[in-house]
Amino acid sequence: MRRLPLPSLLALALVATTPFASAQDAVDLSKACGGDPAQALRAIAAADGRNAAQELAAALREPLDGPTLLALLRFGLGHPDDAVVVGAAVLGRGQIVAVPELARAATVAVPKVLAKGSPLDVDAAQALVGSVDVPAILARAAALPDLLASNWLGHAHRMMRAEHVPALDVAARAATGQLRATLVDDAALVAEYSGLHEERVVALQGWALGATAEPRADGLPQPLRALLSWLVRDHADARGQFPNQDVPWTYRIRRAPVARWLRRATPSAADTDLLLGVADLPDAALRAAAYAAMGALACEPTKARLTAAADAGSATAAAALARRGDDARLDALLQATTANELASGLAVASPARRLRFAADLLAADADVASGQLQAVAEAAAGCLGSDAPPFDDAWFDGLEAIAFAAPDLAPATLRALLAAIPSCATARLCDRLLAMPPAAWLASATPGITLVDELGLEVDDDPWAGDVGWRGALPLLEATRPDALRTVLRAALAGDDVPARDAAARLLLRLHDTPSAAALVAWVRAQPEPPWRALGDLGGAVAMAALKAAAADADDDGLRTLAQALALADGMPRALATEWFTDDAAASVARLLGDGAAAAFVADAQGRDEPLPVDDLAALAGWRDPAAEAYLPAAVAAASAAWDEEQTVYWRWVAAVARGDDDGLAALRALLRDGRYALQSTFDGRRAAAVLGREALAFWIDELGSNCCRKSDLADDAFAALFGAEPQSAEEDVEPAAARLRRRLLPLQGRLRWSMLANGLVVAGR
């Protein structure tokens, strides 16, 4: 591969530190292409056939390094001449470059895919498109041969969002063969993850299979009956594949939307045989849904089937019997300590029975109450699978007032209530807990707070912590009464109760409570394995003096940890400091104490054979220290010499995030909201969450409920960045995570507060 001269490389490195400056300012594309770059790209578009076009593209690409190829792709993809855009799309075939010019390129390219005389194939288009291009993809696919269109739509499933289901429905009903099957599956996939358009998708699946049912005035809706009858009659197997003998392809029925609609529907006596048949299917979600529906009937055959299932351990069957008047079954469910059983019982209990359950809970021994409240928290977090109803906050209407009025409420029970039941997460109950002696409730946090790998303090999930947004009593206290919590913790740190003092110290270190620095230094020094990095995170003159004193007496092994702690205290980004393992710890400490953390890091980096990886460069780009800022261009130049075009554009995005570049961030936001495949494949969900900010909660919930790829590639990591945890979710859940969070969390986004304890957003008490 021919490399550009050194001045051009240095110019490119400078461009890389200022994302989205035109690369043409740094290189002469005409020289790189041996002539007019637009004409070179037009020649590719005008080649005689796709093979000839790809050969021309390969010849143009071969001598170019990554930054130059990226510059040429951006030049071509955004060009006003459609032929130049087409040539650039062929040139970039298979390359995943998330650049703003994709929007223009996709608009031009998608209608030309596999058209007569066009060199564009599906692979060339795949790297260009986003969710916003789905209507155009559907329009073009309708004109293509069946297998080619089906292949394209199969790959494009990761572009699908709930907003596309109506269009997918219409397209499927106009298609035939394998394309119809693919379109049906794309629509059903989105319904499975989002919980939206489920009834439409069930009707579509039944229509595609030729399932029919006679119209009826009552009972299960006709489209639901039709598909269930089809499954029961002929076509179910344990693998979830349902081949239709009349057509030469296989439909995969996505059963979660079917089961959810069945749970919501009201059957009549005429549906008895059908429900019994569904209950015999091998699919657990459909079986449980059939049991739930049987709870609305009164016939003996369904009672016998429910009794057998309940005796075999089905919580849904037991709840269906309780709904039919079996009080013993209801009592057993409400005394359980598993999420499925307790949620199933609460769903069918009357409001009066739920209040009695609440009163019994508050009066119970703290250990018993804690066990049941942990089950409630698991239910609220969606840890239910297919055998329980979705958690409903209305189950605990009135409990908060009862708890507030209870004269002898145990501190441990109150703490668990705050963590487990969102309607009890109120400011006045927080105040009541904070008014109790810390030794009575704070020490119970100790098993959930650990020092992890000596890299700093981490607060593990509270055993009663619920879904994202509800991470336990301690984050709730911090979000609701931050000053009062710190006051209580400082008092406990100064007190004589050892467990409470240890818990308070760990929490105050996590909260970076500099007013407690002297007491925290004393506590750290007293530990068998002092968490020096926690003092580095704390920072300030007191912590720095303690770290310097410790470094003066440390051996070589101890100096490595103390070098990192000192670097943290002197402002080194945590992403760099916690991975900073110097070859000569004593020399690094001496340099750090003499010249500062940035100078020490730069000296160490310059002495290494390998350039800094992109993630380290991103942390370096955000470090506001003169020595770090002065070193960044050279560090980027050294690293970028080996980058291809994908790595180059990735660096430009992470640098835009690190530096808060307004123009770059605006372009990145547009790519994210467009749902670009290129960005989904190359970018990091945690950075994406930072780009869009907490006000994008609705967007991330929709992404979580779009499809498997968007969920796992971006949305899960975005939620981890925003809330300190991924949502509990599985596609076969009775209520998917997106539907649960849309219903329960989205209305409360105005109460979200950042919690250092949870390392995420927490709903503050009202």
Side-chain angles (χ1 to χ4, degrees), residues 309-348:
D311 290 344
S314 169
T316 302
L321 290 170
R323 182 181 174 190
R324 293 165 68 145
D326 190 331
D327 290 338
R329 297 276 185 184
L330 179 59
D331 288 341
L333 289 171
L334 294 179
Q335 292 168 11
T337 56
T338 67
N340 280 11
E341 291 176 295
L342 200 53
S344 296
L346 288 167
V348 298

Side-chain angles (χ1 to χ4, degrees), residues 533-706:
R533 290 183 188 86
L535 282 186
D537 279 328
L538 180 67
V542 175
M544 179 64 86
L547 292 171
K548 289 179 179 178
D553 297 328
D555 57 19
D556 287 343
D557 288 338
L559 274 178
R560 294 185 184 278
T561 298
L562 283 160
Q564 295 175 359
L566 284 163
L568 284 168
D570 197 40
M572 185 182 292
R574 195 167 225 284
L576 297 177
T578 55
E579 298 297 328
W580 187 38
F581 296 103
T582 62
D583 294 330
D584 187 341
S588 294
V589 168
R591 187 180 295 114
L592 190 152
L593 294 178
D595 302 324
F601 178 85
V602 169
D604 181 65
Q606 289 174 328
R608 295 182 179 273
D609 296 331
E610 297 294 324
L612 292 175
V614 169
D615 286 339
D616 284 358
L617 287 173
L620 187 65
W623 194 356
R624 297 296 181 262
D625 183 283
E629 292 176 330
Y631 174 60
L632 179 63
V636 173
S640 63
W643 287 346
D644 62 18
E645 65 276 23
E646 293 181 33
Q647 291 170 310
T648 303
V649 76
Y650 179 68
W651 159 246
R652 294 184 179 189
W653 287 127
V654 299
V657 175
R659 288 189 170 273
D661 174 64
D662 290 340
D663 292 339
L665 292 176
L668 185 51
R669 290 186 192 102
L671 285 172
L672 280 166
R673 294 189 180 279
D674 280 358
R676 295 288 164 195
Y677 167 66
L679 193 68
Q680 175 190 338
S681 297
T682 60
F683 203 57
D684 179 86
R686 289 179 176 268
R687 290 194 176 100
V691 166
L692 292 182
R694 68 179 68 179
E695 66 275 7
L697 178 58
F699 172 84
W700 288 119
I701 291 175
D702 287 345
E703 289 292 275
L704 189 72
S706 54

Side-chain angles (χ1 to χ4, degrees), residues 61-143:
R61 184 189 303 119
E62 196 280 330
L64 304 180
D65 63 6
T68 308
L69 178 55
L70 174 62
L72 182 57
L73 287 172
R74 294 190 67 180
F75 166 82
L77 294 175
H79 202 278
D81 184 340
D82 287 3
V84 176
V85 175
V86 170
V90 176
L91 178 69
R93 182 177 182 271
Q95 306 305 307
I96 311 299
V97 287
V99 293
E101 292 81 4
L102 291 179
R104 155 77 176 153
T107 300
V108 172
V110 168
K112 301 179 186 298
V113 171
L114 299 176
K116 184 177 180 180
S118 170
L120 289 173
D121 58 14
V122 169
D123 287 337
Q126 182 69 8
L128 307 178
V129 297
S131 295
V132 295
D133 301 305
V134 167
I137 293 172
L138 292 176
R140 180 62 194 140

Side-chain angles (χ1 to χ4, degrees), residues 19 33 83 114 225 496:
C33 295
L114 299 176
R225 280 190 293 112
D496 296 328

Side-chain angles (χ1 to χ4, degrees), residues 323-652:
R323 182 181 174 190
R324 293 165 68 145
D326 190 331
D327 290 338
R329 297 276 185 184
L330 179 59
D331 288 341
L333 289 171
L334 294 179
Q335 292 168 11
T337 56
T338 67
N340 280 11
E341 291 176 295
L342 200 53
S344 296
L346 288 167
V348 298
S350 67
R353 184 65 182 87
R354 290 179 195 140
L355 281 178
R356 195 165 90 239
F357 165 82
D360 292 343
L361 185 70
L362 298 183
D365 178 83
D367 290 339
V368 174
S370 294
Q372 287 207 299
L373 287 168
Q374 186 172 351
V376 170
E378 291 172 1
C383 305
L384 294 170
S386 61
D387 198 32
F391 181 88
D392 187 345
D393 294 286
W395 293 345
F396 294 100
D397 282 349
L399 178 56
E400 193 273 348
I402 297 173
F404 183 72
D408 299 317
L409 192 60
T413 300
L414 176 55
R415 185 175 182 277
L417 278 175
L418 290 172
I421 300 178
S423 61
C424 287
T426 63
R428 66 179 187 174
L429 287 187
C430 288
D431 289 339
R432 182 169 179 184
L433 185 66
L434 289 168
M436 293 178 171
W441 59 271
L442 185 58
S444 64
T446 304
I449 305 172
T450 58
L451 297 174
V452 179
D453 296 335
E454 297 184 20
L455 296 181
L457 290 175
E458 298 289 345
V459 177
D460 292 344
D461 282 347
D462 191 309
W464 304 282
D467 209 350
V468 294
W470 294 278
R471 305 307 302 158
L474 295 173
L476 171 67
L477 292 172
E478 180 196 357
T480 307
R481 292 287 188 258
D483 295 334
L485 174 63
R486 284 166 172 77
T487 298
V488 169
L489 294 177
R490 291 166 189 157
L493 181 62
D496 296 328
D497 187 278
V498 174
R501 185 171 67 231
D502 288 347
R506 293 184 172 101
L507 291 168
L508 288 168
L509 281 168
R510 177 71 174 177
L511 291 168
H512 301 172
D513 190 56
T514 52
S516 303
L520 290 172
V521 164
W523 182 86
V524 166
R525 283 173 169 161
Q527 301 310 301
E529 296 182 6
W532 297 118
R533 290 183 188 86
L535 282 186
D537 279 328
L538 180 67
V542 175
M544 179 64 86
L547 292 171
K548 289 179 179 178
D553 297 328
D555 57 19
D556 287 343
D557 288 338
L559 274 178
R560 294 185 184 278
T561 298
L562 283 160
Q564 295 175 359
L566 284 163
L568 284 168
D570 197 40
M572 185 182 292
R574 195 167 225 284
L576 297 177
T578 55
E579 298 297 328
W580 187 38
F581 296 103
T582 62
D583 294 330
D584 187 341
S588 294
V589 168
R591 187 180 295 114
L592 190 152
L593 294 178
D595 302 324
F601 178 85
V602 169
D604 181 65
Q606 289 174 328
R608 295 182 179 273
D609 296 331
E610 297 294 324
L612 292 175
V614 169
D615 286 339
D616 284 358
L617 287 173
L620 187 65
W623 194 356
R624 297 296 181 262
D625 183 283
E629 292 176 330
Y631 174 60
L632 179 63
V636 173
S640 63
W643 287 346
D644 62 18
E645 65 276 23
E646 293 181 33
Q647 291 170 310
T648 303
V649 76
Y650 179 68
W651 159 246
R652 294 184 179 189

